[in-house]
Amino acid sequence: MPNTVVIFGASGDLTSRKLIPALYLLHQKGRLPKETRVVGVSRTPFTHEAWRAELAGTTAKFCGKEFDTKSWEAFAGNIFYHRGDIDDAASFQSLKTFLETEVENNAPASRLYYLSTSPTLYEMAIGQLGAAGMAEESKGLRRIIIEKPFGTNLATAKSLNQATHKVFNEKQVYRIDHYLGKETVQNLLVLRFANSIFEPIWNRNYIDHVQITVAEEVEVGSRGGYYDKAGVLRDMFQNHLLQLLMVTAMEAPARYQADFIRDEKVKVLRSIRAMHGAEFAQHTFRGQYEGYRQAKDVPPESNTATFAALRLHVDNWRWNRVPFYLRSGKAMSCRTSQIVIQFKEPPQLLFADGPRTTNIDANKLVIQIQPAEGIQIHFQTKVPDAGMRLRTTDLNFSFQREYTGALPDAYQRLLLDALNGDASLFARSDEVELAWGIIDPILAAWESPAAPPLEFYPVGNWGPEQSNEWMESQKRAWFDVCPVLH
Ligand code: BG6
């Protein structure tokens, strides 16, 4: 059956930067289901030709070397534009008629709606799709992708879930978190569940702690208005960092199927230990980079955190007493997302000169999510001809060295999965609500006398110096290593 991808918020940045390039590259690779049409909807007036011309330029820019005019032209013939207002019921009626008569030629077709508008319009857009009868499936499947942020707290996420379920059933809904579309995040599932050597040591008996870092070099730039209301916990932790935590900590699903996978992920969130009173100041850390308050649309007295670190516990048999440190920030030393599995010291330190204060020389498994995608195992070796001096060295797997071709952008995989009806890499309603249930109390504590101090850090640092002291006080150290890019 033919497919129609309907993008609401078509004139926005995400559409030109990610969605159209991803759909185009899928077409170029021959992966897009046959007869897939793309319809953009937004308030800006465009003719089909004008929108295609604009997208030709932006897609060429964002695809770089991978762009080629001939395949673009074949793809662009299936792109359409329809002017419409989310708050106007008549727009949805005219969109419906346009889709049925001009795009789908009155024949059955499956549709994938993509909400890429301002998040404040999601509920309204869903309501309008329902009122216009555009969610019912008599003439083909109807699916909807909802971009992040999914709510701004537990209450708004619940309300959005309720509004969504009035119109779509859960099987039709795809809540996107682009981190799950990253090849290296999926590779973590493969590392864990397609190899037998890691499973026996993937637990409290061998692992001292886990560090999950998503460091960004960029500052807030022109997004100050949005960012100041969100802050790093809403922007990065509620979604991306908790997703990485779930994939690292989950049990093996019974089968590789959406609900089996999501059941296991949800169990991780249910196992996160709640914090109380003084624990918020002990187990959470917040910072702001110097100069943030001068950024565009940021109030000069803003206390919004641009850096945070959390110490979480997953209270189950596997992870008893193994802290998970989650850390993310803007304006940091470099762009790197990595998961460090820090193993315990050997039980007897035969070759140590004296007692160590930290276990940083013990084995590590470093999973590099981006930009130097790969995996390293750090272990001790003997320095030749130097008595029993030891040095840490590593076994290094790099995607770039091992495979040819650029790693595809996350949106390619996610759009294709949604078109094929595979929700394995999308968040379920209970998952997003549980994630907010972890973040909300921390946000509330940060507004209360239990708040940890807001520490400042210079641009280009690994966050505030005090976050290192915080780790040291726990006899641990951050793995502050910028990836080597070839
Ligand atoms: C987005 C956040 O979800 O993720 C941004 O809103 C952040 O603030 C971005 O920069 C990071 O994504 P990536 O794929 O570049 O790591």
Side-chain angles (χ1 to χ4, degrees):
M1 192 182 288
N3 281 284
T4 314
V5 181
V6 184
I7 304 175
F8 294 96
S11 54
D13 182 54
L14 186 75
T15 305
S16 54
R17 205 162 37 85
K18 295 287 183 187
L19 305 183
I20 297 292
L23 288 165
Y24 160 66
L25 289 172
L26 286 171
H27 157 85
Q28 197 196 58
K29 294 179 195 167
R31 307 244 173 98
L32 211 53
K34 281 205 169 48
E35 289 192 76
T36 299
R37 281 84 49 124
V38 180
V39 178
V41 182
S42 71
R43 279 191 310 203
T44 320
F46 272 121
T47 59
H48 302 312
E49 290 71 29
W51 199 45
R52 287 173 195 154
E54 170 154 319
L55 292 179
T58 50
T59 310
K61 174 172 152 205
F62 292 117
C63 292
K65 287 199 301 281
E66 290 178 281
F67 185 85
D68 108 270
T69 315
K70 206 160 153 239
S71 63
W72 168 259
E73 273 161 14
F75 174 69
N78 285 319
I79 298 183
F80 304 90
Y81 186 81
H82 190 79
R83 202 200 151 278
D85 258 330
I86 301 289
D87 58 4
D88 173 28
S91 285
F92 281 79
Q93 284 304 336
S94 82
L95 173 65
K96 188 182 178 193
T97 310
F98 172 73
L99 292 174
E100 284 172 358
T101 57
E102 294 184 48
V103 179
E104 293 160 355
N105 303 317
N106 295 310
S110 291
R111 284 195 206 141
L112 178 62
Y113 301 116
Y114 200 116
L115 291 191
S116 168
T117 61
S118 152
T120 53
L121 299 175
Y122 291 170
E123 279 197 38
M124 188 184 284
I126 290 165
Q128 299 275 27
L129 285 168
M134 294 171 77
E136 63 89 25
E137 301 195 285
S138 59
K139 289 194 200 140
L141 298 170
R142 301 288 179 261
R143 299 184 176 119
I144 184 162
I145 299 188
I146 305 177
E147 250 305 324
K148 64 150 277 209
F150 197 90
T152 52
N153 55 28
L154 179 56
T156 51
K158 273 190 173 160
S159 150
L160 182 52
N161 271 332
Q162 280 160 8
T164 309
H165 289 152
K166 278 192 194 140
V167 176
F168 294 94
N169 64 49
E170 181 63 24
K171 290 239 168 317
Q172 295 172 283
V173 184
Y174 293 74
R175 294 171 195 77
I176 213 162
D177 184 314
H178 75 280
Y179 265 62
L180 290 178
K182 290 184 192 280
E183 291 286 326
T184 40
V185 176
Q186 291 156 43
N187 191 52
L188 177 54
L189 288 168
V190 174
L191 176 89
R192 292 198 54 205
F193 303 131
N195 294 295
S196 54
I197 58 170
F198 299 110
E199 166 57 23
I201 55 172
W202 205 266
N203 58 47
R204 65 179 187 283
N205 297 324
Y206 293 91
I207 296 175
D208 176 74
H209 72 275
V210 175
Q211 292 182 21
I212 301 179
T213 295
V214 177
E216 295 190 276
E217 203 175 349
V218 292
E219 302 179 25
V220 290
S222 57
R223 296 170 78 217
Y226 150 77
Y227 192 88
D228 199 63
K229 289 195 194 74
V232 68
L233 285 188
R234 288 191 178 91
D235 188 50
M236 297 297 289
F237 281 72
Q238 186 274 340
N239 36 61
H240 311 323
L241 277 101
L242 285 181
Q243 286 294 345
L244 295 178
L245 166 68
M246 285 184 260
V247 176
T248 309
M250 69 191 266
E251 299 299 316
R255 268 187 285 285
Y256 193 75
Q257 274 175 19
D259 271 332
F260 291 102
I261 296 170
R262 300 189 298 181
D263 287 346
E264 295 305 333
K265 285 167 61 191
V266 157
K267 270 161 63 183
V268 174
L269 294 185
R270 284 196 213 287
S271 309
I272 303 275
R273 189 186 303 165
M275 294 182 212
H276 301 281
E279 286 166 358
F280 287 102
Q282 288 158 11
H283 299 322
T284 74
F285 188 98
R286 59 187 184 131
Q288 188 186 79
Y289 68 82
E290 289 165 6
Y292 169 73
R293 291 172 177 179
Q294 283 81 55
K296 187 168 166 280
D297 301 327
V298 171
E301 71 292 351
S302 170
N303 281 333
T304 296
T306 62
F307 171 95
L310 309 180
R311 174 188 156 118
L312 297 179
H313 280 274
V314 181
D315 280 338
N316 61 19
W317 278 48
R318 185 184 289 275
W319 297 115
N320 182 39
R321 292 170 185 275
V322 179
F324 282 75
Y325 294 94
L326 273 53
R327 167 175 73 150
S328 181
K330 298 250 185 242
M332 291 180 63
S333 306
C334 54
R335 173 170 183 254
T336 180
S337 298
Q338 60 202 13
I339 300 171
V340 178
I341 312 291
Q342 175 68 66
F343 290 94
K344 292 183 175 176
E345 289 272 12
Q348 195 186 1
L349 292 175
L350 283 184
F351 308 109
D353 294 339
R356 296 212 197 119
T357 51
T358 67
N359 63 4
I360 50 174
D361 292 332
N363 298 128
K364 277 185 195 48
L365 179 70
V366 181
I367 299 149
Q368 300 278 3
I369 307 291
Q370 62 185 23
E373 294 86 356
I375 297 173
Q376 292 125 27
I377 299 178
H378 294 228
F379 65 107
Q380 296 300 315
T381 52
K382 179 183 175 308
V383 179
D385 202 17
M388 286 313 275
R389 234 178 67 224
L390 309 188
R391 211 184 76 198
T392 305
T393 179
D394 60 66
L395 290 171
N396 195 348
F397 157 74
S398 141
F399 273 88
Q400 210 196 359
R401 257 201 330 261
E402 209 66 31
Y403 297 102
T404 51
L407 285 183
D409 185 75
Y411 280 88
Q412 286 183 42
R413 172 68 192 255
L414 296 175
L415 279 160
L416 195 58
D417 281 4
L419 279 166
N420 291 330
D422 181 354
S424 307
L425 300 175
F426 293 83
R428 206 165 57 187
S429 57
D430 51 348
E431 199 174 325
V432 285
E433 291 184 13
L434 283 162
W436 279 119
I438 293 163
I439 298 301
D440 271 8
I442 303 174
L443 286 166
W446 284 7
E447 297 288 322
S448 76
L454 180 70
E455 310 285 3
F456 294 88
Y457 59 100
V459 169
N461 257 39
W462 287 97
E465 186 46 42
Q466 293 86 340
S467 95
N468 298 333
E469 293 160 14
W470 182 70
M471 278 301 256
E472 275 158 29
S473 71
Q474 301 172 56
K475 303 214 179 322
R476 297 188 169 110
W478 290 117
F479 183 69
D480 286 347
V481 177
C482 287
V484 181
L485 295 173
H486 299 287

